[in-house]
Amino acid sequence: MSLCSSFNVFASYSPKPETIFKNSNFVSQFQVKSSPLASTFQIHGSSTNLKFSRARLTPISSLVDSGISEIATSSSFRNKTPKDVNVLVVGSTGYIGRFVVKELINRGFNVIAVAREKSGIRGKNDKEETLKQLQGANVCFSDVTDLDVLEKSVENLGFGVDVVVSCLASRNGGIKDSWKIDYEATKNSLLAGKKFGAKHFVLLSAICVQKPLLEFQRAKLKFEAELMDLAENKDSSFTYSIVRPTAFFKSLGGQVEIVKDGKPYVMFGDGKLCACKPISEQDLASFISDCVLEENKINQVLPIGGPGKALTPLEQGEILFKILGREPKFLKVPIEIMDFVIGVLDSIAKIFPSVGEAAEFGKIGRYYAAESMLILDPETGEYSEEKTPSYGKDTLEDFFEKVIREGMAGQELGEQFF
């Protein structure tokens, strides 16, 4: 589930694949780049009769039999240069995942990006478009919701995995989708990665899980707990980094076009009910990539925000009007309206359970209207701007200026399954 403002909740040349593995229930396709991984595949004959030579790497099937964990730990990936580190990214075509893949590639890692054959919002992207989006990575088409299929995908890569980076997020925060993606699919990624050698797992979570009132938060927390238990109590050679970002820039940009057209900026209450230290997708991708090798991020829960002070919705609106050179014009909506709607939906859901999803969406909107995306101080029970770490250089003001110039096209937040 994306971090989104409550207003947005309610208002709101690609080369052909060069390598194909097939069996009765699995298709994996790779875009081969110029890298040590690519050099292990040698194509003989026509495109309809491919043969492969793995001169440098032992097939996964052999590694499993001989104990891949021992092989993987014989030379710690943290002692390797990035070009020798294999990073499996799930959620690679989602909002943050695309930027993470690009950042890892720029740092020289061997990136294996897992994607659906139909990715993006409502599956609008076909294989060719996905390969184009993830250019530079080894793209593996699979299904993270099916452990058997995912394990077969990783096995057919023909080489081990050092690190798994999960950018998976439920499409809408609904009850069923949250448990299917934020827990089950993410766990599948952990199991498949670990089976084939991964010794580190970087998880993109959310800062809001520290006060879990929503189903997707509970699903994320359950996986977090199991991940930590694995590393701390069951396998001391395995490590994790859990990244909990604050609000994303794009989740705060839903009203830019509306205000630009002369309409008021909508906020709940007095606009001071909550605050956040928003972070750009690029800065967040950079921080997540830091977690791959940096030892000071091992076995840590890492809340992270963007640079500068925490901003309330009122202050966000004031920044927007300042950029536009207009007098601020706000529409204040009583938050009690949301409480009433949620109460009605909850009552109906007792008779018609299917309405429960709609009630959950209402609760999501209510949560983001009132709860700050900052560190929750356990001693005071208050959100703390001072205790919320800052990272990066991109500011919300810069983002607003860009959206005013270029619009929000291509910056959709929903359907972030892959």
Side-chain angles (χ1 to χ4, degrees), residues 62-341:
S62 298
L63 293 179
V64 173
D65 293 338
S66 61
I68 191 168
S69 294
E70 295 179 7
I71 294 173
T73 56
S74 63
S75 178
S76 172
F77 72 89
R78 290 190 177 89
N79 297 326
K80 300 177 183 178
T81 58
K83 67 182 179 65
D84 296 318
V85 178
N86 300 336
V87 183
L88 184 75
V89 181
V90 292
S92 63
T93 61
Y95 167 50
I96 298 299
R98 295 193 304 271
F99 288 89
V100 170
V101 168
K102 183 177 180 180
E103 179 68 19
L104 290 170
I105 291 170
N106 289 341
R107 295 191 185 197
F109 291 100
N110 293 322
V111 180
I112 305 103
V114 180
R116 291 175 295 171
E117 294 187 9
K118 291 288 186 179
S119 67
I121 298 176
R122 291 178 291 278
K124 67 179 181 180
N125 297 328
D126 59 16
K127 288 184 178 180
E128 291 295 320
E129 180 61 29
T130 300
L131 290 171
K132 183 177 180 181
Q133 282 186 0
L134 302 174
Q135 194 162 17
N138 301 282
V139 179
C140 172
F141 292 101
S142 189
D143 182 1
V144 294
T145 66
D146 188 319
L147 180 58
D148 290 338
V149 170
L150 183 60
E151 287 184 342
K152 187 65 175 177
S153 302
V154 180
E155 179 181 353
N156 279 342
L157 289 171
F159 45 81
V161 175
D162 295 303
V163 181
V164 177
V165 176
S166 174
C167 297
L168 292 170
S170 59
R171 289 174 256 222
N172 49 36
I175 297 171
K176 293 180 180 179
D177 205 51
S178 293
W179 286 101
K180 181 179 180 181
I181 306 304
D182 292 305
Y183 176 69
E184 293 179 9
T186 310
K187 184 174 182 178
N188 288 346
S189 303
L190 169 63
L191 295 174
K194 193 172 187 298
K195 181 176 180 178
F196 296 105
K199 306 304 292 183
H200 186 54
F201 193 97
V202 182
L203 174 67
L204 174 59
S205 186
I207 201 168
C208 61
V209 300
Q210 62 191 332
K211 189 175 181 179
L213 302 178
L214 304 169
E215 209 66 26
F216 82 88
Q217 295 165 340
R218 299 184 187 103
K220 286 181 181 294
L221 278 177
K222 181 173 175 60
F223 177 77
E224 284 190 12
E226 293 183 9
L227 176 63
M228 289 186 279
D229 181 61
L230 169 65
E232 295 169 6
N233 300 315
K234 298 177 180 178
D235 185 352
S236 60
S237 70
F238 194 84
T239 58
Y240 66 85
S241 299
I242 297 173
V243 181
R244 292 179 176 178
T246 62
F248 305 148
F249 278 4
K250 292 180 182 179
S251 66
L252 304 178
Q255 296 195 66
V256 175
E257 296 287 353
I258 295 173
V259 173
K260 183 180 177 181
D261 290 340
K263 297 180 176 62
Y265 188 94
V266 180
M267 59 188 184
F268 290 92
D270 61 359
K272 301 178 182 179
L273 294 174
C274 59
C276 65
K277 297 177 74 171
I279 188 168
S280 72
E281 61 275 10
Q282 183 55 60
D283 283 342
L284 179 55
S286 178
F287 185 81
I288 291 172
S289 298
D290 290 346
C291 294
V292 172
L293 291 181
E294 291 187 7
E295 295 192 8
N296 64 349
K297 294 179 173 58
I298 291 174
N299 292 355
Q300 299 288 322
V301 175
L302 303 161
I304 194 68
K309 67 183 294 291
L311 300 170
T312 64
L314 176 63
E315 291 170 318
Q316 296 165 28
E318 289 173 341
I319 290 172
L320 184 52
F321 283 111
K322 178 183 177 182
I323 295 171
L324 291 169
R326 298 177 185 171
E327 285 295 317
K329 183 170 59 174
F330 295 98
L331 174 61
K332 300 179 180 180
V333 179
I335 198 168
E336 291 78 13
I337 291 178
M338 301 178 74
D339 294 331
F340 174 77
V341 172

Side-chain angles (χ1 to χ4, degrees), residues 6 12 18 37 84 124 245 257 262 266 272 289 395 401 405:
S6 54
S12 43
E18 296 180 27
L37 297 185
D84 296 318
K124 67 179 181 180
E257 296 287 353
V266 180
K272 301 178 182 179
S289 298
T395 67
E401 289 176 346
R405 292 193 310 268

